[in-house]
Amino acid sequence: MESAAASAFLKSVMGRLFLVLEKEYNKHKGLAQATQSIQQDLRMIAAAMDDQLRTLGPNDRTAVARMYREEILDLAHDIEDCVDRFMHRLRCKQRSGGGGAGALVHRVAHELKKVQSRCSFADEIQKLKRRLKDAHQRVIDGGSISCGGQPGGLSSTAAYSKPSHVARNRPVGFEKPVEELLSLLDEVDGEPEQLRVISVVGFGGLGKTTLARAVYDSPQTKAKFDCRAWIAATGDSPKTRDGMRGILRDILQQVRPRDTMDFDSQHLEASLKEYLNDKRYLFVIDDIRLDEWSTVNSAFEDNSTSSRIILTTTIQSVANMCSHGNGYVYQMDTLGEEDSKKIAFPGVRSPELEQGSAALLGKCDGLPLALVSVSDYLKSSSEPTGELCAKLCRNLGSHLEEKHHGHDNFSDLRKVLLGNYDSLSGYALTCLLYLGIFPNNRPLKRKVVIRRWLAEGYARSDSLRSEQDIAEENFDKLIDKNIIHPVDTRNNSQAKTCKTHGIMHEFVRHKSLSQRFIATPSPDNPRPGIDANNARHLSIHCGELAECMESGVDLSRVRSLTVFGDADGVISYVHKCKLMRVLDLEECNVLEDHDLKHICRLWHLKYLSLGGTVCELPRCIEGLHCLGTLDLRRTRIKSLPIEVIQLPHLTQLFGKFMLDKDDLKNVNKMSKLQRFLSGKKSNLQTLAGFVTDDRNGFLQLMGDMNKLRKVKIWCRPAANSSNYIDDLSMAIQQFNKVSIDRDSDRSLSLVSEEPSENFLNSLVLEPCPEGFKYDLRSLKLHGKLPRLPPFVALLSGLTELCISSDTLTRDLLSAVVNLSRLLYLKLIADQLEHLEIKHGEFPSLRRLCFAVQSLTSAPPTIEQGALQNIVSLQLLCRGPIVLSGIKIRNFKYLKEITIDSKATAETRQHWEGSAKNHPNRPRVLLLETADPMESEEPGPCAMTEKRKRTVDQPSSDGGLDSSLKKMRLSEPSFFEVSRDHPSGGGNGAQCHHAIFQLLNTLINLVVSW
């Protein structure tokens, strides 16, 4: 009776409250438009700044211009944070509290919190608008962008020129590159004499100009060519601004110095062609741009005399374009450790010096210009010591960014680094700064970095392109500029893993730290607490976070936390990072299962990667509403709670697991999951992967996951193999089926742990219904395979195929030799038997990989005329296996041969000799592989441990009383602000105050009842 009376009273009062709330909603309903408006304002200001900077050219950026750009980036991130918090509050669904008075109070409290949030964000948006207005005023106010406050408008990269350190006499460590480049000046025996363009490409400071000069000045070169010319195409200099006329006049002045003045600019090209008609010439154009080459290349006709043009560039796409066809692309490499020491320490070396300089040399990463800069710095000291090297190492980033007192030993290196930095803008620049999170010399996985960028929101655009495409474009841009270089390439020629050049990484890291874009708290950092305040990204490198961070440090703006190694106390800081989007604990070895409950409160979290100390996921993981990527590959997790599958935004799920057995038996939970999947609410695209046997699980659910694009399945032995094979066949059938008028973008990986040889072969698909076909883009098969499953031959659109078995034979491959669209084939085996590829087979194949342990018969052979389109050959075989049966001379388009770094000297010699005698001179690359079988299961997944069970406590009416006691609403700061802003209205503030007082009174009343 009393309860019913209370309910009636509350409904009456609350009805009036909702009328007031509706008025407040009307007052603030323009907030959504306001957020769009402020974002548009930011885009306009950024565009105006880009226009001004573009008129200056990449080499005229001032320090002030960089500060403006960095301010705009900071504003962009703050605006995104504001919008994200605002949308979170509005979209956050209230939890059902049942019926009656309790539910009504919960609802009112939820609505009032929305009003409170709107008031708070209205104030925040006003502050951001003021900051935007001030930034805009600074942009339009000053010629300072073009003069930077320096005399005569001199920019911080003023009068940009090529580094002056060009070694004329025997440059250290260049003996082999000089020999290799000299060999490219001659034709391979049996090849016709023709003009070839050799592009020398690499990061700035690698010594491209030094190498080209050494070859140009070589006595062998002088004897071979009738005429030579050296042209420095220094970008925006007056000499080359006129494009073709400047470069061609330079050439004519060197080959016909007396007659140059007789030709006007209109006849330069014709005069040069006529003079070179019967001569063998060598021209070097240093630091060429694509537009310059496009203008002048028509002047160089092939006169069948084996003439050569050597170009140097830092841009990979420029090198590829200029040497397209019959030319060569020569990729510069860094120096080894011994050569690095010879340059950095040309005098006497001591154990103390070598030990103290190890970290410094690591940051230089074999870059000649960096080593020369370090050498000059040490020469300026009266006594170079290991201690001095250690001090320089600690402050290297500061030296790279700005001139210190005395002689500027790093000026040339700084120009190179700033040139790369200034060539990027917008999110591409943000993506570069983001790389400072990772330790130096740490290989970066392309897909992981791109997933993190997407989770951070660093690939947003107003264009119709997807964020995925934009993120991949930014990654490719960094590779194209050689800021990061590939360590390993994927089957489609994309870089699989990359590494930032050490000195560029140090520069980027210092930039990121100085802008507080990232913070790396450590005991070595003199200002760990200060630098962590307001940082956007925290990166912990093998140190105890608690010792380095002050208790009151502000982590409210932190978007990501990445831990490498030990980090005791890291979880205690997670709850402060309310806007956390990325949490990478893959290498954190102190995380425990009970710590995950703190992580599961991070509503904004989009990317979560856990390490080898985690055994079980809590059911409260359902609180990670925005989670898009969950990576469990390094964990010990074997069983997955069903709540993970029901995360609404989850797109990528990695690991090796099964569904929880108890969940599969729970009728209510399975019914809820089926409703979730059948309602097409699942966004899961990658499921790599799950373990299956004869029990129900993922196989039965795959058909309802209609957005799946990539699946990996581990097939375990089963007692009831007949039903098991039927279920597996049905799941594969549903996944492979696509409309007949479209190409498949799906990838399937099957790993059979079944000892029977007939398991995978027994997978049979039913005839495809009319209007559909079975197709995949990529297929990986691992297990005992005397022959391939019958469905493989049906996959006419297959472009990537990987087969791994104990033994591979010719008969096994016969089912796929006619796949007309296959571009990549990888064969992994303990033994190869009678393997032969005949003429006409694999007509489109571009990349072929062998990973072999031993041969029981003759080595594999490739018939002459076969594989005409092959560009890459990977021979990952250790021991004495040479695979000499593969003759590469007839591979017309071959560009690279990759062998195992642990291959014998005989194997290396064989393939280097074969490459030297090939018309294309393909590169011979060494690949470090932990295991040529390339297991995709990392780390400690093999470890087993009993799973701890967590029991969900049933809800009771007593929970309402507890929640109400905690529900004390504080008045937002908007009320104080509104008193200073009459436009807000004093009545509104009084109304709000009354509402909040009344609500708290009502809560107390309900609790007492």
Side-chain angles (χ1 to χ4, degrees):
M1 186 74 175
E2 290 176 349
S3 176
S7 177
F9 168 74
L10 285 173
K11 286 180 180 178
S12 173
V13 176
M14 296 303 181
R16 298 174 188 174
L17 281 175
F18 281 130
L19 292 177
V20 179
L21 288 174
E22 184 179 358
K23 292 180 182 179
E24 292 303 316
Y25 270 13
N26 290 333
K27 181 189 296 185
H28 298 291
K29 67 181 179 182
L31 278 179
Q33 290 88 341
T35 57
Q36 293 176 4
S37 172
I38 195 171
Q39 287 175 303
Q40 182 62 26
D41 290 345
L42 179 68
R43 286 191 287 267
M44 291 295 292
I45 295 173
M49 246 192 73
D50 282 346
D51 287 343
Q52 291 194 38
L53 294 175
R54 198 174 290 116
T55 61
L56 298 175
N59 299 324
D60 298 317
R61 304 282 173 88
T62 65
V64 174
R66 291 190 192 95
M67 289 185 67
Y68 284 161
R69 180 174 54 175
E70 290 160 6
E71 180 184 24
I72 293 299
L73 276 177
D74 194 53
L75 260 171
H77 297 150
D78 281 347
I79 289 172
E80 287 172 4
D81 289 347
C82 175
V83 172
D84 284 349
R85 288 198 307 273
F86 176 57
M87 298 311 294
H88 168 213
R89 295 289 180 85
L90 293 187
R91 291 175 179 172
C92 189
K93 295 180 180 179
Q94 65 179 104
R95 296 189 177 183
S96 175
L104 197 57
V105 171
H106 275 297
R107 183 184 169 198
V108 173
H110 181 70
E111 297 301 321
L112 281 170
K113 283 182 179 179
K114 280 189 178 181
V115 174
Q116 183 181 17
S117 296
R118 287 170 179 255
C119 297
S120 174
F121 284 110
D123 179 47
E124 189 169 349
I125 286 175
Q126 291 304 315
K127 290 179 181 178
L128 287 170
K129 277 186 170 291
R130 285 195 291 273
R131 284 178 61 191
L132 267 176
K133 183 179 179 181
D134 293 342
H136 186 213
Q137 194 61 41
R138 282 191 285 273
V139 170
I140 63 177
D141 266 356
S144 51
I145 282 187
S146 58
C147 65
Q150 299 183 29
L154 193 66
S155 74
S156 60
T157 56
Y160 176 81
S161 60
K162 293 283 291 182
S164 57
H165 293 287
V166 179
R168 298 277 181 165
N169 299 318
R170 291 191 166 187
V172 175
F174 278 66
E175 295 80 4
K176 186 176 181 181
V178 168
E179 180 186 339
E180 291 172 342
L181 197 54
L182 280 171
S183 70
L184 298 181
L185 301 182
D186 296 322
E187 302 291 356
V188 174
D189 291 343
E191 290 297 308
E193 295 185 342
Q194 55 187 314
L195 171 67
R196 294 184 189 269
V197 178
I198 305 169
S199 296
V200 182
V201 62
F203 185 68
L206 270 173
K208 300 179 294 295
T209 304
T210 299
L211 174 60
R213 176 60 74 177
V215 170
Y216 181 82
D217 290 337
S218 168
Q220 299 168 251
T221 303
K222 294 176 181 177
K224 289 177 182 177
F225 294 93
D226 302 321
C227 55
R228 300 175 306 129
W230 179 283
I231 305 95
T234 51
D236 296 323
S237 70
K239 178 165 54 178
T240 56
R241 188 175 296 152
D242 201 17
M244 180 177 70
R245 287 191 293 273
I247 292 177
L248 298 186
R249 185 173 293 279
D250 264 2
I251 294 174
L252 273 173
Q253 282 177 344
Q254 294 180 58
V255 299
R256 298 185 66 181
R258 297 180 181 176
D259 303 329
T260 304
M261 301 306 296
D262 297 338
F263 302 108
D264 58 46
S265 58
Q266 301 298 323
H267 299 89
L268 280 173
E269 183 175 349
S271 304
L272 188 60
K273 285 181 180 179
E274 181 182 354
Y275 180 74
L276 300 176
N277 183 47
D278 58 350
K279 295 177 178 61
R280 187 182 186 199
Y281 56 86
L282 171 66
F283 299 148
V284 178
I285 306 179
D286 191 26
D287 201 18
I288 191 74
R289 293 197 322 250
L290 187 58
D291 58 338
E292 292 171 332
W293 176 247
S294 301
T295 305
V296 303
N297 70 341
S298 59
F300 309 118
E301 293 185 339
D302 188 357
N303 56 9
S304 301
T305 60
S306 290
S307 294
R308 295 289 187 268
I309 298 174
I310 299 177
L311 311 174
T312 71
T313 178
T314 60
I315 309 299
Q316 196 69 44
S317 57
V318 172
N320 296 339
M321 183 70 74
C322 294
S323 295
H324 180 71
N326 63 348
Y328 305 122
V329 175
Y330 186 86
Q331 198 84 33
M332 290 290 293
D333 204 353
T334 53
L335 300 179
E337 182 179 353
E338 191 56 37
D339 288 328
S340 296
K341 290 178 180 178
K342 288 179 182 177
I343 296 177
F345 318 121
V348 178
R349 281 185 273 166
S350 67
E352 187 271 344
L353 179 61
E354 292 203 9
Q355 186 175 355
S357 63
L360 179 60
L361 291 180
K363 290 183 177 181
C364 291
D365 200 16
L367 190 76
L369 184 56
L371 294 165
V372 168
S373 302
V374 167
S375 178
D376 289 347
Y377 177 87
L378 295 178
K379 287 174 185 174
S380 66
S381 171
S382 58
E383 187 179 353
T385 62
E387 185 178 351
L388 180 63
C389 290
K391 180 181 178 182
L392 175 59
C393 184
R394 288 195 302 271
N395 300 308
L396 185 58
S398 176
H399 283 279
L400 296 176
E401 186 173 23
E402 59 188 2
K403 177 182 176 180
H404 285 216
H405 67 278
H407 180 66
D408 190 2
N409 302 294
F410 294 89
S411 59
D412 285 340
L413 182 57
R414 187 180 305 115
K415 290 174 185 176
V416 169
L417 301 176
L418 282 174
N420 282 285
Y421 182 80
D422 288 339
S423 67
L424 301 169
S425 61
Y427 281 128
L429 179 60
T430 302
C431 290
L432 174 64
L433 294 172
Y434 195 82
L435 299 183
I437 289 173
F438 305 98
N440 190 19
N441 286 324
R442 176 66 59 98
L444 306 173
K445 293 182 180 179
R446 175 192 179 95
K447 288 186 176 180
V448 170
V449 172
I450 287 176
R451 286 188 201 111
R452 289 184 56 146
W453 285 348
L454 291 169
E456 302 279 9
Y458 291 157
R460 297 175 182 175
S461 173
D462 294 330
S463 67
L464 298 178
R465 293 182 302 159
S466 69
E467 290 187 0
Q468 178 77 28
D469 290 342
I470 294 170
E472 290 183 352
E473 180 184 291
N474 286 336
F475 196 93
D476 291 337
K477 189 180 295 183
L478 297 178
I479 292 178
D480 189 45
K481 292 177 179 294
N482 277 287
I483 293 172
I484 57 178
H485 61 94
V487 176
D488 182 18
T489 54
R490 294 183 66 245
N491 42 23
N492 60 356
S493 79
Q494 281 187 341
K496 183 178 181 180
T497 54
C498 296
K499 190 169 78 71
T500 312
H501 277 284
I503 203 70
M504 188 68 194
H505 180 274
E506 184 66 15
F507 175 79
V508 167
R509 180 176 173 275
H510 183 79
K511 275 281 186 185
S512 299
L513 288 169
S514 62
Q515 297 175 29
R516 296 190 183 178
F517 184 74
I518 68 171
T520 56
S522 69
D524 294 333
N525 190 338
R527 308 184 310 161
I530 297 173
D531 289 344
N533 262 316
N534 291 319
R536 298 196 175 275
H537 306 283
L538 278 180
S539 179
I540 315 301
H541 300 180
C542 298
E544 293 191 359
L545 184 62
E547 293 181 3
C548 310
M549 298 275 282
E550 300 171 1
S551 58
V553 67
D554 182 9
L555 301 178
S556 61
R557 299 172 80 196
V558 169
R559 292 167 174 245
S560 75
L561 172 61
T562 308
V563 176
F564 301 94
D566 295 331
D568 288 335
V570 66
I571 294 301
S572 63
Y573 289 90
V574 165
H575 74 278
K576 295 183 178 182
C577 309
K578 300 188 183 301
L579 291 178
M580 180 94 73
R581 291 171 172 83
V582 171
L583 183 56
D584 189 341
L585 302 176
E586 189 173 293
E587 297 187 28
C588 179
N589 51 25
V590 295
L591 192 67
E592 297 183 13
D593 290 350
H594 64 81
D595 293 324
L596 299 183
K597 63 184 179 183
H598 301 290
I599 295 173
C600 292
R601 297 169 184 165
L602 300 173
W603 196 89
H604 291 282
L605 194 66
K606 295 184 178 182
Y607 180 100
L608 176 61
S609 180
L610 300 173
T613 57
V614 176
C615 303
E616 181 181 18
L617 287 179
R619 297 195 178 276
C620 61
I621 195 171
E622 64 183 351
L624 298 179
H625 176 81
C626 299
L627 193 65
T629 297
L630 178 59
D631 194 337
L632 306 174
R633 283 176 287 190
R634 285 182 178 262
T635 69
R636 303 178 187 179
I637 292 173
K638 300 298 181 185
S639 182
L640 206 66
I642 212 166
E643 285 80 3
V644 173
I645 308 302
Q646 296 178 99
L647 290 172
H649 298 289
L650 189 67
T651 58
Q652 316 281 336
L653 178 57
F654 301 98
K656 185 179 179 181
F657 39 71
M658 304 177 76
L659 279 179
D660 184 88
K661 295 178 183 179
D662 294 336
D663 287 350
L664 291 171
K665 297 175 184 176
N666 190 313
V667 176
N668 291 333
K669 284 193 172 186
M670 291 305 296
S671 176
K672 183 179 178 182
L673 177 60
Q674 287 291 354
R675 288 196 301 272
F676 176 81
L677 295 176
S678 60
K680 298 183 178 181
K681 296 178 181 179
S682 173
N683 283 296
L684 200 59
Q685 298 176 14
T686 298
L687 180 56
F690 63 88
V691 180
T692 185
D693 52 22
D694 55 354
R695 291 170 293 183
N696 287 341
F698 279 105
L699 285 182
Q700 289 72 30
L701 301 175
M702 273 180 59
D704 292 322
M705 298 178 181
N706 57 352
K707 294 184 180 179
L708 274 183
R709 293 296 177 266
K710 182 177 181 179
V711 174
K712 183 172 184 178
I713 306 173
W714 281 271
C715 306
R716 283 185 178 167
N720 186 3
S721 59
S722 176
N723 292 339
Y724 177 30
I725 289 174
D726 289 343
D727 289 343
L728 183 58
S729 297
M730 179 59 67
I732 294 173
Q733 179 175 303
Q734 291 175 318
F735 183 69
N736 288 5
K737 187 171 66 176
V738 295
S739 176
I740 200 168
D741 58 352
R742 60 177 285 244
D743 291 333
S744 176
D745 58 350
R746 299 181 180 183
S747 302
L748 175 65
S749 179
L750 290 175
V751 181
S752 173
E753 299 176 357
E754 171 70 55
S756 169
E757 292 185 348
N758 297 318
F759 178 75
L760 289 177
N761 295 322
S762 59
L763 297 175
V764 179
L765 309 190
E766 298 175 355
C768 210
E770 186 176 353
F772 293 89
K773 62 180 178 179
Y774 292 129
D775 210 356
L776 289 171
R777 181 185 59 81
S778 173
L779 175 64
K780 296 179 182 178
L781 298 172
H782 176 84
K784 290 193 174 183
L785 292 166
R787 59 187 180 278
L788 293 179
F791 74 86
V792 178
L794 304 175
L795 307 176
S796 58
L798 197 66
T799 60
E800 301 172 10
L801 176 61
C802 177
I803 304 172
S804 175
S805 184
D806 294 341
T807 303
L808 292 179
T809 64
R810 164 73 190 176
D811 291 340
L812 183 142
L813 280 185
S814 61
V816 294
V817 294
N818 295 319
L819 291 177
S820 60
R821 298 176 64 179
L822 193 66
L823 298 175
Y824 175 77
L825 176 63
K826 184 171 186 177
L827 303 174
I828 305 174
D830 291 336
Q831 298 177 354
L832 288 181
E833 291 183 359
H834 309 293
L835 198 63
E836 181 184 11
I837 298 177
K838 298 181 178 180
H839 180 70
E841 296 177 344
F842 302 111
S844 298
L845 199 67
R846 304 275 288 172
R847 297 175 177 274
L848 175 62
C849 175
F850 289 102
V852 185
Q853 295 286 1
S854 64
L855 298 173
T856 58
S857 62
T861 58
I862 299 176
E863 194 176 273
Q864 185 172 347
L867 304 184
Q868 284 297 298
N869 294 306
I870 205 82
V871 296
S872 174
L873 194 60
Q874 291 188 321
L875 308 170
L876 307 180
C877 313
R878 296 179 182 177
I881 306 173
V882 179
L883 298 182
S884 55
I886 300 175
K887 307 298 181 184
I888 65 170
R889 181 67 186 257
N890 297 311
F891 296 159
K892 183 178 178 181
Y893 301 106
L894 189 65
K895 294 181 180 179
E896 62 183 32
I897 303 167
T898 305
I899 60 177
D900 196 293
S901 60
K902 293 185 176 65
T904 62
E906 178 191 0
T907 301
R908 289 182 63 172
Q909 239 174 16
H910 171 81
W911 290 113
E912 286 173 355
S914 298
K916 193 172 182 180
N917 293 319
H918 190 284
N920 291 352
R921 315 287 178 86
R923 299 176 65 203
V924 178
L925 306 174
L926 300 179
L927 181 64
E928 293 186 12
T929 55
D931 181 0
M933 298 301 106
E934 251 190 347
S935 171
E936 294 185 20
E937 180 186 349
C941 288
M943 302 173 70
T944 58
E945 184 170 322
K946 280 192 176 181
R947 189 183 152 95
K948 298 176 183 176
R949 296 294 304 149
T950 55
V951 182
D952 288 338
Q953 297 294 336
S955 60
S956 64
D957 293 338
L960 172 63
D961 181 77
S962 173
S963 62
L964 284 173
K965 287 180 180 177
K966 296 176 182 177
M967 195 185 300
R968 297 292 185 270
L969 301 181
S970 59
E971 298 179 28
S973 59
F974 173 81
F975 300 141
E976 284 74 30
V977 174
S978 64
R979 295 187 184 108
D980 299 327
H981 295 78
S983 58
N987 293 333
Q990 293 174 3
C991 178
H992 272 287
H993 184 71
I995 291 172
F996 277 87
Q997 280 192 331
L998 177 57
L999 183 66
N1000 280 323
T1001 302
L1002 290 172
I1003 291 171
N1004 288 328
L1005 182 60
V1006 173
V1007 170
S1008 63
W1009 275 339

